[in-house]
Amino acid sequence: MVDNRKLRRNKVIVRFRDGKMLKGFTYDFTPMRDTFNVISELEGGRERKQKVNIADLKAIFFGKTHEGNADHVEANQFDEPEHLNLRGMEITVEFHDGEIVRGKTLGYSAQRKGFFIVPVDPDSNNMRIYVIASAVT
């Protein structure tokens, strides 16, 4: 029998405000709720489920892999030809810890708890990022 959660799950790297990081999968994240679950796969096929409180986070990175590519240098210019196909408002996000990400967003509002951005680099490991608004300067 196929586990429908595995079909709907998203690969995530959850970054906390205190610098901690959690890698796993989620199938129940929605910006409308205050919590969601991250499932980490352990050796032997076992899983560990952890409830995450969005108020404790900096951002949720929805990625292609959990490992990333340490040798890849992120392109961050909006005017490069391969970035022109992205729709939305150009945005530069600076987190309280000094990290800066650039992308486009269709849903920024100062009244919301957070917003999604799509990185300008098509080769980025991040497909989209949910930024917690209170974690940015």
Side-chain angles (χ1 to χ4, degrees):
M1 182 169 180
V2 176
D3 184 350
N4 286 332
R5 289 180 307 162
K6 287 191 177 187
L7 297 175
R8 297 179 309 190
R9 68 187 188 173
N10 293 286
K11 192 173 293 185
V12 293
I13 298 174
V14 177
R15 303 270 306 271
F16 292 83
R17 291 174 192 253
D18 64 5
K20 292 179 190 170
M21 185 174 8
L22 176 62
K23 297 179 181 182
F25 300 89
T26 187
Y27 57 88
D28 65 350
F29 170 77
T30 174
M32 306 312 239
R33 292 188 20 216
D34 293 331
T35 62
F36 66 102
N37 292 295
V38 174
I39 298 170
S40 301
E41 292 182 347
L42 304 174
E43 285 188 36
R46 296 187 339 246
E47 295 180 343
R48 181 183 68 193
K49 184 172 162 181
Q50 182 173 340
K51 184 173 273 194
V52 176
N53 188 335
I54 290 177
D56 297 334
L57 303 181
K58 165 184 164 175
I60 305 165
F61 296 82
F62 293 81
K64 298 172 187 170
T65 70
H66 285 130
E67 296 76 31
N69 180 354
D71 297 328
H72 179 69
V73 177
E74 289 279 325
N76 60 9
Q77 300 299 316
F78 292 107
D79 57 354
E80 295 180 20
E82 62 270 15
H83 306 153
L84 298 178
N85 291 332
L86 290 177
R87 293 184 28 210
M89 176 178 66
E90 296 175 355
I91 189 167
T92 298
V93 175
E94 183 175 354
F95 292 97
H96 290 299
D97 64 7
E99 181 180 5
I100 296 173
V101 294
R102 291 180 175 83
K104 292 209 175 180
T105 183
L106 294 172
Y108 174 76
S109 169
Q111 287 75 40
R112 292 189 185 142
K113 291 186 272 186
F115 54 95
F116 281 102
I117 67 171
V118 176
V120 295
D121 186 350
D123 296 322
S124 173
N125 187 54
N126 299 311
M127 296 182 294
R128 61 188 170 132
I129 304 166
Y130 184 74
V131 176
I132 310 305
S134 61
V136 302
T137 58

